[in-house]
């Protein structure tokens, strides 16, 4: 099927919508903007929320670069989590927990391979033992 769709595209034919993803049923809706401009950020979805962080914040201080922001679709709001102690980290999830991996230590700029997980109860980042 992918070859057929590629041939249609290359020949200038309008490709047929995928049967499981009909184009007339897909709509994009705007959501609230982040409070800071970011690039190179990573996103991860856990339960019903989107988390974004780890990139570089445009014209921002280190606190913005070390933050993860949480988007709640039900409220259409972004809220910052407490700052991590790292910059330019990778972002992921393991067993329903948000994890920040590697990057640079905010204290001295040294490269790190540490993994921190976000504790939703204490609202803090803790060194992970995963």
């Amino acid at each position: 099927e992918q070859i057929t769709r590629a041939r249609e595209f290359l020949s200038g034919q309008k490709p047929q919508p995928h049967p499981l993803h009909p184009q007339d049923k897909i709509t994009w809706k705007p959501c609230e903007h982040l409070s800071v401009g970011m690039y190179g950020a990573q996103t991860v979805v856990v339960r019903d929320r989107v988390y974004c962080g780890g990139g570089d914040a445009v014209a921002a201080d280190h606190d913005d670069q070390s933050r993860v922001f949480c988007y709640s679709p039900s409220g259409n709001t972004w809220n910052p989590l407490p700052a991590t102690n790292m910059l330019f980290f990778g972002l992921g999830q393991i067993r329903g927990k948000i994890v920040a991996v590697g990057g640079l230590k905010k204290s001295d700029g040294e490269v790190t391979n540490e993994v921190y997980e976000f504790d939703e109860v204490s609202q803090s980042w803790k060194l992970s033992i995963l």
Side-chain angles (χ1 to χ4, degrees):
E1 183 179 332
Q2 290 178 338
I3 293 172
T4 302
R5 294 174 66 76
R7 283 185 184 139
E8 289 173 349
F9 176 78
L10 293 173
S11 69
Q13 295 177 8
K14 184 176 180 181
Q16 298 299 312
H18 191 282
L20 297 178
H21 305 287
Q23 296 300 313
D24 59 341
K25 302 218 187 250
I26 297 173
T27 58
W28 286 88
K29 295 179 183 178
C31 67
E32 183 63 33
H33 296 279
L34 277 169
S35 59
V36 296
M38 296 183 78
Y39 62 93
Q42 317 232 337
T43 58
V44 65
V45 176
V46 176
R47 291 181 286 285
D48 65 339
R49 298 183 185 268
V50 177
Y51 295 85
C52 177
D56 197 0
V58 179
D61 60 24
H62 283 326
D63 279 342
D64 285 334
Q65 293 173 332
S66 64
R67 286 201 184 276
V68 174
F69 295 87
C70 175
Y71 177 71
S72 169
S74 62
N76 191 28
T77 56
W78 285 99
N79 294 302
L81 300 182
T84 67
N85 65 352
M86 301 178 301
L87 305 169
F88 309 113
F89 50 88
L91 191 65
Q93 70 94 10
I94 298 174
R95 294 191 295 264
K97 292 188 178 255
I98 305 299
V99 293
V101 181
L104 303 177
K105 291 182 182 178
K106 192 162 55 169
S107 60
D108 59 13
E110 292 292 318
V111 175
T112 181
N113 64 354
E114 295 174 330
V115 177
Y116 285 82
E117 63 184 62
F118 186 69
D119 184 319
E120 292 183 64
V121 175
S122 68
Q123 290 289 297
S124 64
W125 292 95
K126 298 183 177 186
L127 193 58
S128 179
I129 56 170
L130 299 174

